[in-house]
Amino acid sequence: MAKTIKFSVHRNPLKNEEGKDTYQVRHESYYTAHKADLLEHIKRHTTIRPELIEMTLSVLREEIVEFLIDNKRLHIEGLGTFYLKVGFKKQCDEWGNEQKPNFTNPADITGHNVCVETIGFTPDKAFLTIMEEKDYGFENITGRGKVGHSNIYEYGEITQLINDYLEKRGKITRKEMMSTFGLTRHATAKWIDLLTESPNAFLESEKIGNTTVYYRCKK
């Protein structure tokens, strides 16, 4: 049975040269699967012991970091290339707000100003080919001719709204976040990834049947 990849349509912030609106599509994921989900999936579909996979993932994670901090990109054939993305450390302004510095003199830039922003990944063509060979279609969840949009919140605003909701209901789902706070699937997924990210996670999750619910982290 063919699977369906969900997408939504969104208006680009800038108009084209003729002054007309243009649009983009975004993948709409259900939720973020974690290592436990991967191990359970492997257990059901292969004969490889999950503990062996877990050990391999642990070693691979450490080795990737070793290559990256040794100023190398790491290409794993058939998978893709891992690389570092660096940028400037955020600094607090006079009101305590964090922001990235703007340098006007390159001589002012030292290693103390730089940080690792993220680890990038570029998939190999062979990896993408595996996707292309799968049996799947696409579905526009915004509806034909309709455009998705999301309310914009600062971190403090969304955490306060969620906290108020949890005070009354005790738990929240992705669907409830979307409907209550006017978020698209894409925006909801980004907020949940951020709010459940260790070590300072704001939310923790629990799987109840086929639904993932979120609670305020106990500290």
Side-chain angles (χ1 to χ4, degrees):
M1 181 178 178
K3 293 188 176 181
T4 304
I5 295 178
K6 312 289 186 180
F7 72 92
S8 57
V9 178
H10 299 266
R11 183 180 291 106
N12 289 317
L14 300 178
K15 298 180 183 296
N16 65 12
E17 296 177 352
E18 299 175 351
K20 295 182 178 180
D21 287 324
T22 59
Y23 301 88
Q24 60 175 294
V25 292
R26 297 177 186 164
H27 177 226
E28 295 289 343
S29 59
Y30 291 126
Y31 62 93
T32 299
H34 297 279
K35 184 173 69 174
D37 301 299
L38 173 62
L39 294 177
E40 180 61 30
H41 193 272
I42 290 172
K43 182 179 178 180
R44 292 200 310 267
H45 295 87
T46 73
T47 58
I48 302 174
R49 300 199 315 271
E51 56 268 25
L52 180 60
I53 296 296
E54 187 166 13
M55 184 187 308
T56 303
L57 289 174
S58 179
V59 172
L60 183 61
R61 182 175 61 241
E62 294 293 332
E63 290 299 317
I64 289 172
V65 170
E66 286 295 326
F67 275 86
L68 296 180
I69 63 176
D70 197 28
N71 299 297
K72 300 170 184 174
R73 291 182 296 172
L74 179 61
H75 178 225
I76 301 177
E77 286 76 5
L79 186 64
T81 302
F82 294 88
Y83 58 93
L84 283 183
K85 295 184 70 175
V86 300
F88 292 124
K89 291 179 182 176
K90 290 183 179 179
Q91 299 176 348
C92 290
D93 60 20
E94 56 185 310
W95 298 282
N97 300 313
E98 284 190 338
Q99 57 185 12
K100 290 186 177 181
N102 292 311
F103 290 94
T104 57
N105 184 355
D108 293 335
I109 301 173
T110 71
H112 295 294
N113 307 117
V114 178
C115 68
V116 173
E117 290 191 330
T118 189
I119 295 175
F121 175 74
T122 302
D124 273 3
K125 184 178 180 180
F127 193 22
L128 293 173
T129 298
I130 296 175
M131 285 282 298
E132 294 168 0
E133 292 174 345
K134 296 291 184 181
D135 187 16
Y136 61 85
F138 292 92
E139 179 186 351
N140 181 357
I141 65 170
T142 47
R144 188 171 181 178
K146 296 183 179 179
V147 180
H149 62 279
S150 181
N151 289 336
I152 305 299
Y153 298 102
E154 296 292 333
Y155 181 87
E157 293 175 320
I158 193 69
T159 52
Q160 184 61 58
L161 288 170
I162 293 174
N163 199 58
D164 292 343
Y165 187 95
L166 294 177
E167 286 289 329
K168 298 176 181 178
R169 306 289 183 86
K171 62 183 183 296
I172 191 169
T173 65
R174 285 173 177 262
K175 190 172 182 180
E176 288 167 345
M177 283 185 66
M178 290 173 60
S179 61
T180 304
F181 308 131
L183 298 172
T184 61
R185 286 180 182 270
H186 179 75
T188 303
K190 290 181 67 174
W191 274 120
I192 285 178
D193 284 348
L194 177 63
L195 297 174
T196 56
E197 189 177 44
S198 297
N200 299 311
F202 179 77
L203 296 174
E204 58 186 7
S205 63
E206 178 186 0
K207 200 74 174 289
I208 300 179
N210 294 323
T211 303
T212 301
V213 298
Y214 298 87
Y215 306 91
R216 184 76 166 85
C217 270
K218 301 178 180 65
K219 295 181 180 180

